[in-house]
Amino acid sequence: MGKMIKVALDAMGGDNAPGEIVKGAVDAVNERKDIKVFLVGKAEKVHEELKKYQFNEQQIEVINAEEEISCDESPVEAIRKKKDSSMVVAMKMVKDKTADAFVSAGSSGAILVGGQFVVGRIRGIKRAPLGAIMPTTKGVMLLIDAGANMDARPEQLLQFAQMGSIYMEHVVGISSPRVALVNVGLEEAKGNQLIKETAPLLKECEGLNYTGSIEAREIPDGGADVVLCDAFVGNVILKLSEGLSKVLVKEIKSGIMSTLRSKIGGALALPALKKTLKRFDASEYGGAPLLGLNGLVVKVHGSATSKEMKNAVIQCVTFTEQQINEKIKEEILKGKERQNEKKKD
Amino acid sequence: MGKMIKVALDAMGGDNAPGEIVKGAVDAVNERKDIKVFLVGKAEKVHEELKKYQFNEQQIEVINAEEEISCDESPVEAIRKKKDSSMVVAMKMVKDKTADAFVSAGSSGAILVGGQFVVGRIRGIKRAPLGAIMPTTKGVMLLIDAGANMDARPEQLLQFAQMGSIYMEHVVGISSPRVALVNVGLEEAKGNQLIKETAPLLKECEGLNYTGSIEAREIPDGGADVVLCDAFVGNVILKLSEGLSKVLVKEIKSGIMSTLRSKIGGALALPALKKTLKRFDASEYGGAPLLGLNGLVVKVHGSATSKEMKNAVIQCVTFTEQQINEKIKEEILKGKERQNEKKKD
């Protein structure tokens, strides 16, 4: 038997904790023999849930943590003060290499803060961006930064592009992923100051398949594999996609329910429609990785079900097996060497 | 008979010029007796199109302009050098009050540049934002700035909010429109530097129904009447909405075509579906006004048909009748008075 991938799971995070989280862990270890899950949270509650299921007991271990971090408290305060929270305890396990990865559906803010300050960044990485896998007509793409770093600098965006490219190539399996910068037009003169300063850095960067600007209109149609933007714009893209899909589906359903004729038609078309809409359901694609940290941190949205938790846990296996962080370190090192050579010239 | 509203139309702008533009003008004057349209462009070509239709000849006048501005040339250069272009000639008519409004489906860049430099800004207005009317589940909303001013400053965003609010109240007819600032979360501490500096200005501004932050997720569901953001974010919202709607409709159609059963169902449900999707078709809502100028400038998208041109022309009537620019001037004046009073205190 090969190496076990160890995942620390925040058993208390999210709207459906601990029930769906525990079920997700059980489903993950029942599907894959190479995963060990640490369920971190109030041990009594977690054991109560675990009792409901059959699984290999060597693959799940409960780690007690008495405190919980809610979405209403200040992330910085919470991470600093609640040393015995499920989140801080689990992230420390990643920091000291007891676990390879941490997965949580809890407070986004606390995950981002804890990732930077408890797990810590890879040496040379300036900021840790959030990558979100999103569906397109052609498959999937990585939106990066999907919400971690407000007011990012051009050189930080360059690193996001490099890390995103490595992720898409080695975790998702797209060779030489097309990296595009979100912009308001395709011409070089277009864009705000950040775009104008970032584009030349991307163009110069060796080993990056930078294809230029992408207009937001082309994103859902699969215009790029890595869609690069600052966290404010990324959050708008992610949230607007969610909101608009939900609204359109709702409107289409109410359109179908509006006449008897369309009701009958809708009933006949429903199975095919559901299949289509499922393709565009972001929950099919696992969690959002926080890249550039000393270990993997994955954020899953607050209303995650067991299925999403399971997918997020399984995603950690590929990440770890593909040694993504080692590849990121190499890329950073290469970049530094190139800079040094330039200085010599 | 009351006052005639005079609209200068760029007969040469857009993918379907001059055919659809001329037809739009004819349809507008046939629908409303209080509109006079100046069709500005190559007179020979315009007359050739006009021959096809019946209309009151006193309501349409052809103004010759020999040059054309294409989407491929630099907007600044084009506006400066092509003095005899349909765009520059028509905008000068607005500047010298021969026309109340200018409508074009031509180069967006040239419309924005020409608006600022040929028509000119209202005294006290720092930048002229583009407002775009977009459909929501509850009706319509105004997205402002939808793409005119990159790297806007907080005090400029405040003016955009004031102008957008006046527009929604008096042109669209929503009393005390809710103004919300696009942000990555609802808490006050969230957002980038621009948001953090803009929010207090909005909160302090008297006469503005500022309701706080809005997440992009809530925009399509009608979470605000005036959705305020800088032009980069606005362009992303506008273009992503277009792209995503198109992709979802395409996917739904191909889902329906995937089995015989769903094909039959789709055929039955189609009329109801079409009605629903029409509600979400941005082309139903006229053009995008450039606010804060000495006259009205309306941008219509490049592939506009006669129907969209007609709607954009008719929209100019309400704008002019409601004396929107006079209301903007009053608001600016009030703001200055308040500032002076504060200085005295």
Side-chain angles (χ1 to χ4, degrees), chain A residues 255-256 261-266 269, chain B residues 256 264-274:
Chain A
I256 286 175
R261 175 188 154 139
S262 65
K263 265 188 212 171
I264 296 167
Chain B
I256 285 175
I264 297 168
L268 288 168
L270 206 60
L273 270 181
K274 275 196 178 149

Side-chain angles (χ1 to χ4, degrees), chain A residues 203-278:
Chain A
K203 212 182 283 177
E204 275 174 24
C205 180
E206 284 172 45
L208 204 63
N209 181 13
Y210 173 58
T211 56
S213 289
I214 185 168
E215 284 193 271
R217 187 192 286 127
E218 307 301 327
I219 296 174
D221 207 20
D225 304 308
V226 177
V227 172
L228 181 66
C229 55
D230 76 72
F232 193 93
V233 171
N235 186 275
V236 166
I237 292 173
L238 189 67
K239 300 270 179 76
L240 184 62
S241 301
E242 266 180 51
L244 198 58
S245 305
K246 200 180 281 177
V247 157
L248 280 174
V249 169
K250 208 174 88 183
E251 294 280 316
I252 285 167
K253 277 186 188 162
S254 83
I256 286 175
M257 295 307 283
S258 63
T259 67
L260 180 62
R261 175 188 154 139
S262 65
K263 265 188 212 171
I264 296 167
L268 288 168
L270 207 61
L273 269 181
K274 275 196 178 151
K275 204 171 146 195
T276 305
L277 297 174
K278 197 178 155 179

Side-chain angles (χ1 to χ4, degrees), chain B residues 2 4 13 17 20 28-29 35 72 76 82 100 108 113 120 123 151 157 168 193 211 223 229 248 254 265 303 318 325:
Chain B
M4 294 287 272
E20 291 291 307
V29 302
I35 297 178
D72 306 322
V76 176
K82 294 190 164 173
D100 300 298
S108 303
V113 170
R123 211 184 142 103
D151 299 303
L157 283 180
M168 282 308 273
Q193 203 54 38
T211 57
C229 55
L248 279 175
S254 84
S303 57
T318 319
N325 277 357

